[in-house]
Each structure stands twice: as structure tokens, then as C-alpha cells.
Amino acid sequence: MELTLPGSPVCEHAREVATAYSSPSLLNHSLRVYAWAAALGGVHHVDFDPELLFVAAMLHDVGLAAVFDSHTEPFEVAGGHVGWVFAAGAGWAPQRRARLVEVIVRHMQADVDPAEDPEGFLLCRAAAADIAGRGVADLPADFRAAVLERYPRLDLVTEFLRCFGDQAARKPESLAAAAMRNDLATRMAANPLEDRPVTG
């Protein structure tokens, strides 16, 4: 299994946005999330739109950036709005813009129906794998090691918990707050990806 990133101009611009507004840890997280999502597409036999999935992966956490953070909306909803504006500027049709919003917002759900939303399903599963280790065993060990080498985790645990703690304090009804109440810190610490696994 090899990691191949889609190279359309829209994907390049989405990566440019993520690079401009994300820390190195969160940027690498977004790139790994696409890698895990694409790999899981093969594992679960889910056909997906690589460009849509990549753009969603690049922008799924942009709502955590201070300049895009909303004091009333959950970060994934704020990120969906940023995604819509980005997609409009990229010339995407209204229906495709709406799909991008759906995929970004749904990544925080417990699960997504792959028949209804294949990109949402894959982004949801991939984000859960990278953050809390859910389903990591579905990813080949050599592929995990190669992705971690290319996009190291850096201080993701510390930064992500800080971001989610801040979201939880200001938006106690949000899914980020629910994750903190469900001991996200323990689950992140126990994530096998933190140990750079090289065997299955």
C-alpha cells in the first residue's frame, strides 16, 4: 500500500490554506487523516472522491484556528463554513460545496453511513484513528510506519487537548466537550500511533 496525494490545483490550494492556518502538529494530523482515510477506503471497499476527501481532510480542523473559531458554533460547524467559502472560491458547484460542508461537519460524529456519505465515513474513521487509535489495526503496519515517518505526530496530543479543552470550556454542549468528558486525554495517550508501530 502506497501513499499518494491527489494533485489537483484545488487540492494544492487546500493544503496551502491548511499550512497557513494550522500549526505543524495539526497540519501533519490533517495529512495523516487523508492517508488513513484513503487506505481505509481500500480496506472497507468504499469508493470515494479523492479531491473532495482531500480538501475535507485539509480543512476539517480549520475551525480550531483562532481566526476562524466561533464563540457560538462548534468548531466543526465553523470549519464547514470555511470549507464552503473555500469551495465557492475554487469554483465548485453549490451541491459540491454542500457536500464538503457535510463531510467536514460529520467527522465529529460517532459514525457515518458509508452508503450515504462515503467521504464522511472515511474522514470520520480516519480522524478517530489518528486521534484516539480507533480502528488502527485495520491499517497495514508498514503503511502506518511510512505515514508516521513522513508526517510525524510532533506535539499533537498536547496541542489537541489544549484546543479541545478550550472548546469544551466555551461550548459545553459541543461534541468536543463530550469528547473531553469521555476522557479523551486517556484515549489519546493510549493510541498505538503514539508508539510508532512497525508490526501488526
Side-chain angles (χ1 to χ4, degrees):
M1 183 176 290
E2 295 183 3
L3 170 59
T4 302
L5 302 181
S8 73
V10 173
C11 290
E12 293 174 2
H13 293 151
R15 183 169 180 169
E16 183 179 358
V17 170
T19 302
Y21 290 100
S22 302
S23 68
S25 292
L26 286 175
L27 175 62
N28 281 5
H29 162 67
S30 295
L31 289 161
R32 287 193 308 273
V33 163
Y34 176 77
W36 308 144
L40 289 169
V43 169
H44 294 288
H45 307 290
V46 175
D47 292 328
F48 63 91
D49 179 330
E51 183 179 70
L52 175 61
L53 182 60
F54 185 82
V55 173
M58 290 300 96
L59 302 181
H60 80 282
D61 280 344
V62 74
L64 293 173
V67 293
F68 298 127
D69 186 19
S70 167
H71 286 272
T72 57
E73 297 286 349
F75 83 92
E76 66 273 19
V77 175
H81 289 300
V82 175
W84 192 97
V85 173
F86 172 86
W92 284 10
Q95 183 178 8
R96 190 165 174 78
R97 297 174 212 167
R99 281 289 297 121
L100 178 61
V101 173
E102 289 175 344
V103 175
I104 291 173
V105 171
R106 287 175 176 167
H107 91 270
M108 281 294 290
Q109 295 182 8
D111 217 341
V112 177
D113 183 352
E116 175 188 344
D117 182 356
E119 293 80 18
F121 167 79
L122 294 172
L123 187 66
C124 173
R125 288 294 183 92
D130 201 64
I131 292 300
R134 177 186 174 195
V136 164
D138 291 342
L139 299 163
D142 57 346
F143 180 72
R144 298 195 312 256
V147 171
L148 290 168
E149 181 70 25
R150 186 168 175 180
Y151 305 118
R153 296 180 71 80
L154 305 176
D155 59 347
L156 178 67
V157 172
T158 299
E159 181 169 7
F160 201 82
L161 290 174
R162 177 185 59 75
C163 288
F164 263 43
D166 178 64
Q167 293 287 313
R170 293 186 289 109
K171 308 167 197 177
E173 302 303 316
S174 67
L175 291 174
M180 293 300 288
R181 290 193 296 270
N182 290 329
D183 207 3
L184 178 62
T186 296
R187 288 183 285 129
M188 290 192 75
N191 186 344
L193 294 175
E194 285 298 312
D195 297 326
R196 294 177 54 88
V198 294
T199 60

